[in-house]
Every structure is written in C-alpha cells, then in structure tokens.
Amino acid sequence: MDRRWIQNPNRCADEYLDGIEDFIEFARRHNPGATRIRCPCRRCNNTLWETIENVGFHLVRNGMIETYSIWNLHGEQLEHASSSNATRVDNVQPIVDANDEVMDIIQDVFPFASTNMNQEEQDDVPTPIDSAEFEQYEKLLKNANQELYPGCESFSVLTAIVELMHGKIKYRMSNLCFDYFLGVFKRMLPTDNCLPKDHKQAQKVLNGLGLGYEKIHACKNNCMLFYKEHESLDTCPICNESRFKMTSQNRTTKIPQKVMRYLPLKPRLQRLYMSTHTATDMRWHQEKRVEDDVMRHPADGEAWKEFDRTFPEFADDPRNVRLGLATDGFNPYGVLNQHHSTWPIFVFPYNLPPWKCMKKEYMMMTVLITEDPGRSIDVYLRPLVDELKDLWTNGVRTYDKSTGKMFTLRAAVMWTVNDFPAYAMVSGWSTKGYMACPVCKEDVTSGWHAGKVCYLGHRRWLPWDHEWREKDKEFDGNTERRLRPREWSGDEILDQLNRLDFAPFGKTVSRIRPSTHMN
C-alpha cells in the first residue's frame, strides 16, 4: 500500500483524504470490535486513545505523524511492512543517543566555533566568536566529553546535568527538592564521580549555553527603571525614593527595592535559526504552507497578507519573524495572598507551523514582573520595546543553520493577545466607563444596567435589511436605523497621537505610549 500521502502537506487533497479512509479501514480490520484506538495525529502522537471517528477527524485537522509509516500500533506486522512496496523500516526515526543530542545542542549554540579566529568578516560568512565565547565553548565541550565517573559510557557530565535539569523543569521540582535528590544521586555514584553537588553548581555549568536573563532594578513606586541613562542612579529622580533597601552598615552588598527580570529577545530568535530542529520550520509559512483559502495559520489571514502588501521589503525575506505578544497577571500563591500578582510577558514566533508555534517550547518569556505593575506597565515594557524597535529598524546578524549563511534577522509585533483589563494596561486605552469601547470610540452606545456599564448598539453591524434591526422588544425597545460606526485607519490614529503632547517617558507618561513604541 502506497503511503506517500502521509507526507502530503495539503490535508484537503483527495490523496490525503483517501489515505485517511484507508487507514481507518485498516484499523477496523485489524482491531475488530474495538471502539477506541490510538490516535496517530501530531497532537496525540499515538499516546491517547480516541474513537475511530474522532481519529479520522484528528488526522484531517492535525495531520498524521510523518514518521508513522508502519502502522504497528494498529495491528500491522513489521515483517509484512518491511516487504511492502510502501515506505520501509528505514524511514522510522532512529533512537538518538543522549550524548549525541547534547553535542548537537552545543553545535547549535556555537555553530561556527571552529571558524578561524583571524578570518575577516564577509557577507554570508559566519563571524568568528570572540575569546570569551570560545572559552565557554571549550568548557561545555570538556564537560560533554568527560565521563560522569570513570568507566561510565552512557552519561557525560553535561548529559547528566541536562537530563536532570530537564526533569526538574518538566515536573516542577523546587530548588530544595532538586538539591536533595542531587545529593542522593551523588552519594549513590562512585566516590570519584563529577556530578555537581547542588542546583547552583549545575546552573553554572549550563550558563555557557546562553539564553540567560538580566536583573533590572526598578523604583519602589514603579516610576522608572534604573536602566540605560538612569543605570548609575541611587535614587529615583521622580519620587526621590531610594533604589536600595535600608540594611546594616556591615553588609557589603546592597539589596534593591524591586527587581524586574528581563530575558533578551534577540538571542532567542537567533537560536531558532541556529538550531537544526527549527531553522527550516521558520520558513514554513512561505515555503510549505498550502494556499487553498482554508484558515489554518495566521499567514492565511487577511491581516498577514495586508502586512506583506504594506511592508514588501520585510515580506521579501521569509526568515523575518512575525511575533505575537501576550500578558496577564496571576497569583502564584493561590488564595494565600489575594493582593499579589505576577505579570509575565510572552512573545510567540508565528513563522513556525501551526503544530509548533503555540507549543510551550516556543513561547518566549521576555519580561517577568514580580509585582502588580498597575498603570505603570509601560515602565517595565521599555527594554522590550527598545529591542523590538531595533529589530524592526536595524535587525541582527544571524546564522542560518539550514543554509550555512548569515543574514539580517528582522522582527515585527503583529498582534497582542490579552483579556480586556490587560488590554487597557498594555495599549493605554481605558476599558472602564461609558466611552470604553475601542472600536466605537466617540460613537459608542452605552448605559447603566444591573449595576454595570453595558455597551449596546451591536445591531448596527448587521446588514441593512436584517430582521433583527426591526425588533425592539427583544433588545432595548428601539428599532435600529443607524449605520455602523466609522472605522479609523492606522494612519488616522497615528496622526491623532502625533498631535498629543506627551510627557517624558516614565510613570507620568500618557498611558497610550507603549502601543506607539510597539507599532
């Protein structure tokens, strides 16, 4: 049976739909009487059981695992499959050794570490790493080649640390719990083992892989960040509050009043192209997406296409990244502290295919605000806004592992994703009161009902001859004869903003300032 249809990216093609019917018939024939079977779609990955009807629906929506060409989990015998004219056993993805995977990670982080240090920079030629980066590379390489203990061939020092840290994050293990088990493992192993003694030591080994974060001090009252031109100040120039807490005079280190964690965006976007696992997928929206008027990905939407028409220079290179930004507050302590709120700010790369772009592995947290920023979230957004502006204007030189060449990576934020209260904080548009609708603006229809401000007039968007326009008792007691509100273009809104007189950046700045930065 020919199973090349599994590789077909067009899941609406007759070949693909016929292949799904053949698979369903095969599963029924080899599992007589079964009501549920393993679902081989990309999301379920043969680990979840679904009804046969749902399996067919999943395969159309998510696609079948491309390496699942031998249906052994659904009754096919391996001997028969290997002798068929279809895809052979060689196409099954091989099991990769853990040490080899760690070496691949190092090569992704330092793709041109062996480049001649004296080589002159040229177009499409990787820039040699400096001495500090090369030192980090040598340390990682040493740990990757060093046995965990004499005679151990299964794990190197770096492989063991990566595996343990992966488990810590996956199962949400605390640092104290991790330190305890790491100490137990170290005592179990031979006395001359090289396993780190605690989480801090393990973290130092992994620092060479990059993708760290910066600690930026903030004013206690959220007035400003001690950042760039204010980095050397000890007091806030707006409220005169001290940057540091009052401590004993014998203490050598100062404790800041408030700290924001910032995770730079550029190295994380660069890593997507430096890794063999994602470099090709970052061009999926241009090279592999099927254009058949079916909405499967943001690239199929009109907003994406309009952006391409507006900025053709940006759209010419499919490696330029389209981003979405999302934020919201939550209480990590449950009901123990009703007043605490932590605000992470995430960025999503929409270049990736739909089965990857919304996975947590590719969600990039860029800012972590450990207290409710209130109306001053623009203060904490400043480092991210500065970096996004630079990525849009200048870009950053990036190595593309799939082509082996350098290119200038640019990025643009196309969407923000948040609920209505967070929308007010990020955009600066007030979502409270009688004039809160961001679509209707001054032509809003609102009123007080049941102790709340309610926004009415939705029938204005209906066709002129729609029957609901004539109904009055079912709605507010009036027939609807008005036209839909005027839709303002981006240029008109920007012109309105340019006529406003903004204060200096900081706590006293107009609440609409961040949106102009991100646009």
Side-chain angles (χ1 to χ4, degrees), residues 91-344:
N91 288 337
V92 178
Q93 191 173 9
I95 299 175
V96 182
D97 182 74
N99 292 322
D100 293 338
E101 287 186 334
V102 169
M103 290 302 298
D104 289 341
I105 294 174
I106 297 177
Q107 294 302 321
D108 288 343
V109 178
F110 304 97
F112 35 84
S114 59
T115 304
N116 184 3
M117 301 295 290
N118 297 321
Q119 180 181 4
E120 295 182 0
E121 183 178 357
Q122 302 175 0
D123 290 342
D124 298 332
V125 175
T127 304
I129 60 177
D130 57 31
S131 57
E133 289 180 306
F134 194 76
E135 184 179 351
Q136 291 282 5
Y137 170 74
E138 286 187 320
K139 288 181 180 179
L140 288 171
L141 199 61
K142 178 182 177 181
N143 288 319
N145 292 324
Q146 183 179 9
E147 295 177 342
L148 183 60
Y149 57 86
C152 178
E153 298 180 356
S154 302
F155 287 93
S156 67
V157 175
L158 188 59
T159 303
I161 295 175
V162 169
E163 291 279 0
L164 290 171
M165 292 292 282
H166 176 71
K168 174 186 182 299
I169 296 171
K170 184 176 181 179
Y171 297 107
R172 304 176 183 179
M173 191 182 299
S174 68
N175 290 352
L176 290 176
C177 181
F178 184 79
D179 287 346
Y180 171 76
F181 282 108
L182 200 62
V184 172
F185 295 152
K186 190 171 180 65
R187 295 194 300 270
M188 288 180 178
L189 297 173
T191 55
D192 52 354
N193 70 82
C194 301
L195 191 68
K197 62 179 181 180
D198 55 25
H199 175 263
K200 186 176 182 180
Q201 295 296 325
Q203 194 70 37
K204 286 183 178 179
V205 176
L206 297 182
N207 281 342
L209 294 176
L211 304 185
Y213 65 91
E214 304 173 8
K215 290 183 178 180
I216 302 177
H217 298 174
C219 172
K220 178 182 179 180
N221 298 320
N222 299 330
C223 299
M224 51 159 282
L225 297 178
F226 294 93
Y227 168 75
K228 287 192 174 179
E229 69 273 13
H230 298 142
E231 187 174 1
S232 60
L233 299 180
D234 287 338
T235 58
C236 173
I238 299 176
C239 66
N240 295 322
E241 187 71 34
S242 174
R243 175 177 181 174
F244 302 101
K245 296 180 180 179
M246 297 295 294
T247 57
S248 171
Q249 295 181 354
N250 298 328
R251 188 180 181 91
T252 57
T253 58
K254 298 181 179 179
I255 302 176
Q257 297 267 22
K258 189 177 293 187
V259 178
M260 180 195 78
R261 273 78 174 176
Y262 180 65
L263 297 84
L265 181 61
K266 289 179 183 176
R268 284 163 172 77
L269 295 180
Q270 288 177 306
R271 188 64 59 85
L272 291 174
Y273 284 102
M274 293 162 64
S275 172
T276 54
H277 301 286
T278 53
T280 303
D281 285 338
M282 288 296 288
R283 301 192 303 272
W284 178 91
H285 67 96
Q286 179 70 27
E287 299 177 354
K288 296 184 179 181
R289 180 174 57 90
V290 179
E291 298 188 21
D292 55 359
D293 295 329
V294 177
M295 186 72 177
R296 302 187 185 91
H297 187 270
D300 296 318
E302 187 57 33
W304 189 295
K305 298 174 183 177
E306 177 62 24
F307 186 87
D308 288 349
R309 291 190 291 265
T310 306
F311 304 101
E313 182 183 357
F314 184 93
D316 284 343
D317 191 344
R319 294 174 294 190
N320 289 332
V321 186
R322 324 294 179 98
L323 300 172
L325 185 145
T327 184
D328 200 0
F330 71 100
N331 186 350
Y333 305 110
V335 297
L336 299 180
N337 188 341
Q338 294 289 348
H339 301 289
H340 181 82
S341 181
T342 295
W343 285 73

Side-chain angles (χ1 to χ4, degrees), residues 68-83:
Y68 191 54
S69 55
I70 300 174
W71 301 337
N72 57 300
L73 295 178
H74 295 84
E76 184 171 9
Q77 299 297 322
L78 292 177
E79 294 79 6
H80 172 72
S82 61
S83 62

Side-chain angles (χ1 to χ4, degrees), residues 452-482:
K452 296 181 179 180
V453 177
C454 299
Y455 305 98
L456 309 173
H458 305 84
R459 289 178 291 165
R460 289 183 290 173
W461 272 267
L462 294 174
W464 184 251
D465 57 348
H466 198 282
E467 61 177 345
W468 283 6
R469 281 182 172 267
E470 299 297 328
K471 294 183 178 181
D472 50 6
K473 295 180 180 180
E474 289 83 352
F475 295 95
D476 59 355
N478 300 310
T479 58
E480 186 59 76
R481 298 295 183 183
R482 295 176 297 171

Side-chain angles (χ1 to χ4, degrees), residues 260-263 324-332 340-348 363-373 377 380-381 384 417-418 422 425-426:
M260 180 195 78
R261 273 78 174 176
Y262 180 65
L263 297 84
L325 185 145
T327 184
D328 200 0
F330 71 100
N331 186 350
H340 181 82
S341 181
T342 295
W343 285 73
I345 298 176
F346 292 94
V347 168
F348 307 85
M363 297 180 183
M364 304 177 185
M365 185 171 68
T366 57
V367 179
L368 181 61
I369 309 171
T370 55
E371 293 185 20
D372 186 358
I377 195 171
Y380 294 93
L381 282 173
L384 177 60
V417 183
N418 34 249
M425 296 178 64
V426 175

Side-chain angles (χ1 to χ4, degrees), residues 20-34:
I20 291 178
E21 292 183 2
D22 292 339
F23 171 78
I24 296 298
E25 178 60 30
F26 177 90
R28 291 183 188 275
R29 188 169 62 252
H30 287 78
N31 300 271

